Amino acid sequence: MTSRSPSDLCRVLRSRSRAIVDRWYDAVKGASLSLYSPAELRQLLAGLFERVVGLLVVEDPDLSEARAIGGSFVPLRLPAGAFGRVQAALIEELSVAIPSDLAAVLHPRVALLMHGLIAGFVERDRATLLDQQERIRDAHVRALRSAQRELLLKNAGIESSINAICFCNLEGKVTYVNSAFLDMWAYDSPDDVIGSDIGDFGQWDYRQRQVAEALDREDGWIGELVACRESGATFHVQVSASMIRDDTGRPVQVMTSFVDITERKRVEAALARRVSEMTFLNQIGDQIAALRAPEQVLHKTVHLVHEAFDYHQVGVLTVDPERNDLIVTAVAGEFEGHLPRDRRIPVGEGVTGWVAEHGQMLVVNDVRADSRYVMLTPKPVPTRSELAVPIMADGEVVAVLDVQSPCANAFEESDSIVMETLADQVSVAMENARLYAALQRELAQRREAEARLRRNVRRLETLRDLDQAILIAKSAEEVARAALRHLRRLVPCQRAAIDLIDFEADEVTVLAAMQTIGERKAGTGARFPLTQQRLLFEMLADRRSAYLKDIRQLPQSSPLIRTLRSEGLRSFVVASIAFRDQLLGLVSLGSEREAGFEPEHRPIVEEVADLLAIAIQQARLHDSVRRQGERLRDAMARLAEAEEAERRAVVRTLHDRVGQNLTALDLNLSTVQSELRDRNLADLCAKLGNALRVVEETNERIRGLMGDLRPPVLDDYGLLAALRWHADQFAEQTGIPVDVRGDHQAAGGLAAHVENAFFRIAQEALNNIAKHAEANRVSVDLLAQEAGVRLVISDDGVGFYPEQLGPERSSWGLLTMRERAESVGARFAVESCLGEGTRVIVEAPG
């Protein structure tokens, strides 16, 4: 998930500012326009939202600031419903189309903000109400005392007082009541009251003694009690009692004033309940926000609501969009043991179905008078009233929170507000749980993907190492051993083997095997008869590998299988080594456990088998080429030796026969020419002279041919002398000096045909230098080495790039030199660079 800065979150929040302020204004304008103008009210709400933004963008929001923001709504004189709409507007606008990474940061902060707003609003609202009550009480006391003083002066004013006033004697008997008293207690005439005990008009309990002591000590008492009418109806009054004394200061009567505070008590009770409900909402919000599964959120919610409010029944039904119905997910209360958890209700049917369809809260004060009510199952105590609230997510109903009571008209407006707020909290908690579950799935998928990636990287690295090991391997056995070492790094096993199959001999040969258990009876080099060809082809038919979870269950057996079973091996992964549809052998991994391999191991073994197929085939071809090369080199060496022997025989023949005959012919012709010259036969002598020149020229050509076939100096004085003789001729013909260096013993151990090859290569190299090198100097070095003899012909000419010398530009001289070297088993190389001359190197074993 990509992290974002607080500025990103601030920009998203401010983009919602106008929509939120508009919705706030619609929620509070009815209660607050009497205090502010529309413009002032919008400006005030915009300032409050700026404080909200400032709270949400910090990493650790301050709960006291959230409470202060909630308390700032109290001066607007908002009813609870309006404040609930303020919260709903904020939650809805901050839950729609928020990027997932920002939502993960924003949602817990919004939950904290909601907690603070509710707490701040309730605390300040309660403080304001108590302050007003105290001011009213103080004002009333002051007014009462002033009335008491006025009573002494103006008795007539008592009758017209709006407060119920009663005079009692010191024994507590009523002596006077005004009309307000009669109205408050529903009496027609003062005669119905005069003479009655004051204690008959209220639940004084212990207060009578308390009042008497206060009157005696302070001449007055103020308190509250529950008043009783003759009908038995009760109501709350605030009582002010004052002692009346005569001129001598002697107490004579008690004047008591009563103010009906029933409505105030109702408001205080409602406020106390509201505070309790808000406290509960804060507590339940904290508890369900920590849950990580939607089902846990719903189960916890219904039980907390049931425990806190003692509703007859609390349930949550979730929406199944595919089947378009509701399913009972969580239940608490009287109905918990009677309703099947998988009971379904079609959307649109019953109270909860109506709420799911319309997305609105529904209160049914008497289910017997509402056709939408559906009884799912008989209950121990019948339901009379029902309240259902939708739980929304992304503008869609995802669940319905339902509470039921056995009493008619059981739900007040405060219940609706609490349930709506609770539904919002449940929605946020479920969304948080869903996001958490999605995050956990994503993390699990990421961990799994990382594990797969690590396994793949390890496999690729191992296969790369295996490729390199195969490249440097010199035989099929080395290839097999390298493959098994690397394969065991990827797949844990107790045995790894590569078997070659010879179908002509009906035999299986273990090319390589590595085993950690048993006696290793099927080790490297072991041979077994191929008795299960049909079973083998059935296992590998249309597949590249086979997984044998338990070889004891094979329908047939063979000596190899029996041997492996006796070694304690139970399961195998077997892959075919095939090249061009030809089965060469098998790669097998064995485990001592049944089903000891994973599905992911098969493709690994198949990959190694594919590499082995190519490597083994290459090794076989390499061996074949190597053997053919050895045979070819032997043949070429024998051919060169035979050629050299033939040349020497030709030279001997030319020297012994043709040379001698030409010499004899020359002598005879010279004798005849002398005799003819003595006889003055000039013409005949001239013809004989021409004949002698032809004989001499033929003799020279034969000697040149003999030198070309094998220079006599090579036989007489060795290779180094022959190189110096030819270098002198080259320098005389081309004008390029040649420096020949070396030792006579350097080529002492070379065979005659190798000496001749070295000499001919030097000849060809010097010819190339004369044609192409434009050199000024040439050197020829004949050196003795530990491994043999080295001939190097170097020049300081123009040079060239050997790698750029393609087939179309190939030199016949270079090709001839290479062939001559290879024909005698020597290594031939050319080193050159443009502008830096050329070196021809020939190395032959001693």
Side-chain angles (χ1 to χ4, degrees), residues 307-485:
E307 293 171 5
F309 297 103
D310 197 26
Y311 288 130
H312 174 60
Q313 174 187 311
V314 184
V316 174
L317 299 89
T318 53
V319 177
D320 185 346
E322 295 183 358
R323 298 178 57 171
N324 196 33
D325 60 12
L326 298 169
I327 183 170
V328 178
T329 305
V331 178
E334 297 291 335
F335 202 18
E336 185 172 1
H338 300 272
L339 184 65
R341 292 297 176 86
D342 58 349
R343 177 65 184 270
R344 293 180 177 268
I345 302 173
V347 172
E349 182 178 327
V351 174
T352 54
W354 186 93
V355 171
E357 182 178 29
H358 294 85
Q360 300 176 8
M361 180 183 66
L362 179 61
V363 179
V364 180
N365 292 318
D366 189 352
V367 297
R368 294 182 297 185
D370 196 309
S371 60
R372 290 171 294 192
Y373 176 74
V374 175
M375 184 187 300
L376 297 181
T377 187
K379 308 174 184 178
V381 180
T383 295
R384 284 295 303 276
S385 55
E386 185 172 2
L387 167 63
V389 183
I391 299 175
M392 312 291 290
D394 297 330
E396 300 290 335
V397 179
V398 296
V400 176
L401 174 62
D402 181 72
V403 293
Q404 298 181 17
S405 173
C407 303
N409 301 307
F411 303 110
E412 301 178 359
E413 182 181 359
S414 62
D415 295 304
S416 302
I417 295 173
V418 170
M419 291 301 107
E420 282 186 319
T421 306
L422 180 59
D424 292 337
Q425 290 184 335
V426 172
S427 175
V428 172
M430 289 181 64
E431 179 64 14
N432 289 341
R434 187 190 65 80
L435 292 175
Y436 178 81
L439 177 61
Q440 293 302 310
R441 288 194 299 272
E442 181 180 347
L443 291 176
Q445 292 172 358
R446 182 176 297 179
R447 286 192 293 267
E448 184 179 354
E450 290 175 351
R452 286 199 303 270
L453 180 59
R454 286 193 296 269
R455 289 196 298 269
N456 288 336
V457 169
R458 182 184 175 192
R459 184 180 68 179
L460 292 176
E461 290 176 348
T462 303
L463 292 177
R464 180 202 61 194
D465 295 343
L466 177 57
D467 283 338
Q468 295 176 351
I470 288 175
L471 289 176
I472 63 175
K474 297 180 180 180
S475 66
E477 291 77 7
E478 290 186 15
V479 168
R481 287 193 295 271
L484 294 183
R485 284 196 303 273

Side-chain angles (χ1 to χ4, degrees), residues 68-141:
I69 297 172
S72 299
F73 285 91
V74 173
L76 301 180
R77 297 181 180 177
L78 302 183
F83 186 63
R85 290 192 292 275
V86 166
Q87 300 175 67
L90 185 60
I91 292 175
E92 291 173 6
E93 291 296 334
L94 296 184
S95 299
V96 179
I98 297 294
S100 60
D101 53 341
L102 291 182
V105 175
L106 187 58
H107 286 169
R109 298 182 185 179
V110 170
L112 179 64
L113 174 63
M114 292 296 102
H115 176 81
L117 289 180
I118 295 171
F121 182 79
V122 171
E123 290 171 2
R124 186 163 178 181
D125 193 10
R126 182 180 183 182
T128 302
L129 182 60
L130 293 176
D131 183 59
Q132 292 174 353
Q133 178 183 346
E134 190 62 31
R135 288 199 299 270
I136 292 172
R137 178 180 295 175
D138 292 344
H140 179 67
V141 170

